[in-house]
Amino acid sequence: MPHSLMAVVLAGGKSSRMGRDKASLYSPKLQRTLIEQSIKILSQLTNCEVVISSNTFPGAIKDLVPDCGPLSGIHGVLSCVQEQSHIQGLLFIPVDMPNLSVEKLQSLVVIAQQNNCAAFISNSFLPCYLPLNNKVLRIVSQQLESNDWSIRRLLDKLAARGVPLQDTEQLVNINNPSDWQQHCQ
């Protein structure tokens, strides 16, 4: 039976603040790289196919419009899977949020699918769930064409539903060497 959800690890960033590729950072605390941690989390979701969005990771879905932040990855994946009718929607997570919980992500997906809407964690714009339809792809494409790379504005245009999260520790992302050092402690 085909999966109705596609979960996407956004790993295409330049990691300029980190100074090296974040996806390949090995965490002694997790005993795996950040990309492996993201895949492990997403693999536990119900009825889910996991893919990677990256211009450098082997086998990943590439950006069609590079260098436009996470919106590039979202656009590339939406464009690639738009004809796959068995997929109802896509869950996007950044590779640099190793503390995300399967339960909260599953809850985000359920709320979005039950309400047939885009959804995101209220304290952040990623992770987010986007239904797979022509409207979403059209809006993402229009934003890229107008050099508007904002995930927040995308979610506003889609009237996305914010889902509260009490444990904001899950949303800690790793952007620079100091963040990484703190994560590894």
Side-chain angles (χ1 to χ4, degrees):
M1 180 173 149
H3 301 291
S4 63
L5 174 67
M6 181 172 281
V8 182
V9 181
L10 294 169
K14 293 181 181 180
S15 302
S16 53
R17 288 177 282 179
M18 180 61 72
R20 60 187 206 188
D21 179 31
K22 289 189 273 187
S24 63
L25 290 174
Y26 180 82
S27 168
K29 186 160 102 177
L30 300 170
Q31 297 188 339
R32 63 185 62 90
T33 63
L34 290 183
I35 191 83
E36 291 167 340
Q37 174 68 3
S38 297
I39 292 168
K40 178 180 185 263
I41 292 166
L42 295 177
S43 296
Q44 297 173 61
L45 294 169
T46 305
N47 198 20
C48 178
E49 176 184 354
V50 178
V51 298
I52 298 167
S53 168
S54 169
N55 288 328
T56 57
F57 200 83
I61 297 174
K62 309 264 187 264
D63 296 350
L64 299 176
V65 183
D67 301 325
C68 299
L71 201 62
S72 287
I74 291 170
H75 176 261
V77 173
L78 287 170
S79 298
C80 182
V81 303
Q82 68 179 338
E83 300 302 321
Q84 295 185 27
S85 60
H86 63 279
I87 297 173
Q88 295 175 358
L90 299 102
L91 174 68
F92 293 92
I93 71 165
V95 72
D96 61 3
M97 284 188 177
N99 301 328
L100 292 170
S101 80
V102 175
E103 296 76 24
K104 192 60 189 181
L105 293 173
Q106 191 70 60
S107 146
L108 177 66
V109 169
V110 167
I111 289 168
Q113 288 181 341
Q114 285 176 345
N115 293 284
N116 195 27
C117 67
F120 62 99
I121 304 291
S122 296
N123 313 57
S124 183
F125 301 114
L126 287 172
C128 72
Y129 173 93
L130 301 177
L132 182 59
N133 60 47
N134 291 332
K135 175 187 174 187
V136 173
L137 180 57
R138 185 181 73 251
I139 290 171
V140 171
S141 297
Q142 288 170 347
Q143 275 195 230
L144 285 173
E145 288 167 14
S146 65
N147 292 322
D148 179 3
W149 307 342
S150 169
I151 301 296
R152 180 186 55 80
R153 280 191 291 282
L154 169 65
L155 294 169
D156 285 347
K157 290 174 186 175
L158 294 172
R161 183 176 185 158
V163 177
L165 175 68
Q166 302 307 318
D167 178 14
T168 56
E169 189 65 26
Q170 289 187 47
L171 299 176
V172 170
N173 63 343
I174 298 168
N175 284 315
N176 56 50
S178 173
D179 295 342
W180 180 244
Q181 188 175 25
Q182 191 170 358
H183 163 78
C184 290
Q185 291 178 352

